[in-house]
Amino acid sequence: ENELTGAYSRLATNSYFQYNRYYITEGINDSHYVNGDNPQEWLIENFKFDASNGVIQGCYTDLWSNVSAANAVLSDVPNIVDSKWNGTTRKEQILAEASFLRALNYYELVTQYGGVPIITSISQGGNYYPARNTEQEVYAQIIADCQVAIEKAPDASNKFKANKMAANALLAKVYATMPNPDWTKVNQYCDVVIGGGYTLLPTFDHLFDN
């Protein structure tokens, strides 16, 4: 449980999901203006992406840190034998939540950086310099992790943790953004989320009024 909490904590303590993601997504479109004093952010706003840019580097490092934390759970928890888990589904839920966290961060990696190495364990079999996989292979890994979450993650009663509806929503985004979008799948997984009690806000401005 502590290791899973640590994986969640990475999302809150590193910079990617706090603000750096904004710079490399919404911040570069015409309806946003990055009002700051960091020249590296200004370069991104003007579509000047460079691997030496500290924001770009920080995003990449943060996402891999998040993947590593999820992999720690997925590597360690299967080997734990604890009588407190007898007759419960909690062990499977922990693994499913970690699978979702890994999928979420791989989705960010593949949509920002294209094909990246697929790393699914802490040791990676001793291969410390893995080659890049293709975008299609990364998407396949994301889909596989989301399917684990859909099958075994908790229901949506706790909206602050990975759950089945979050995994369905992520899969809808995956099938919409992969190289060959599958709109039938997009509709399928969106319908599951809508059927699970989620709706669009009736007033667009309410997205931004906090």
Side-chain angles (χ1 to χ4, degrees):
E1 293 285 1
N2 287 342
E3 198 165 37
L4 179 62
T5 298
Y8 279 115
S9 295
R10 294 284 180 95
L11 305 184
T13 56
N14 68 29
S15 299
Y16 183 78
F17 285 106
Q18 288 191 51
Y19 47 83
N20 276 351
R21 184 181 186 276
Y22 163 74
Y23 296 139
I24 62 175
T25 56
E26 300 293 336
I28 62 176
N29 72 38
D30 290 339
S31 62
H32 290 250
Y33 171 66
V34 177
N35 181 22
D37 57 2
N38 184 345
Q40 294 181 335
E41 296 164 8
W42 303 340
L43 290 172
I44 294 171
E45 188 175 26
N46 288 285
F47 304 104
K48 296 179 180 179
F49 293 84
D50 190 287
S52 65
N53 187 300
V55 175
I56 301 295
Q57 289 181 0
C59 290
Y60 193 74
T61 302
D62 284 347
L63 289 168
W64 280 116
S65 175
N66 297 343
V67 169
S68 177
N71 279 339
V73 177
L74 293 165
S75 294
D76 293 340
V77 170
N79 301 317
I80 297 173
V81 178
D82 192 328
S83 60
K84 291 183 179 180
W85 279 342
N86 292 345
T88 74
T89 60
R90 185 55 190 150
K91 185 175 184 178
E92 291 182 344
Q93 287 179 344
I94 289 172
L95 294 171
E97 290 180 55
S99 295
F100 173 83
L101 293 177
R102 183 168 68 186
L104 174 66
N105 284 279
Y106 262 118
Y107 176 78
E108 297 294 328
L109 281 165
V110 74
T111 53
Q112 300 300 338
Y113 300 96
V116 294
I118 295 176
I119 300 174
T120 57
S121 69
I122 291 298
S123 66
Q124 190 64 8
N127 178 12
Y128 300 117
Y129 301 95
R132 294 177 68 167
N133 291 83
T134 65
E135 283 188 52
Q136 290 83 353
E137 289 169 334
V138 177
Y139 274 112
Q141 178 63 48
I142 295 168
I143 292 169
D145 280 339
C146 283
Q147 293 292 354
V148 171
I150 286 173
E151 182 180 351
K152 298 182 178 179
D155 62 24
S157 59
N158 187 343
K159 296 181 180 181
F160 298 97
K161 297 286 185 74
N163 58 58
K164 297 179 187 297
M165 291 299 110
N168 278 283
L170 181 56
L171 272 181
K173 294 179 70 173
V174 165
Y175 282 109
T177 56
M178 60 196 314
N180 296 303
D182 186 333
W183 301 110
T184 299
K185 291 283 190 182
V186 174
N187 287 332
Q188 172 188 332
Y189 289 107
C190 284
D191 285 344
V192 171
V193 176
I194 294 169
Y198 293 85
T199 59
L200 298 177
L201 286 173
T203 305
F204 181 75
D205 287 352
H206 290 175
L207 285 170
F208 309 101
D209 70 355
N210 200 30

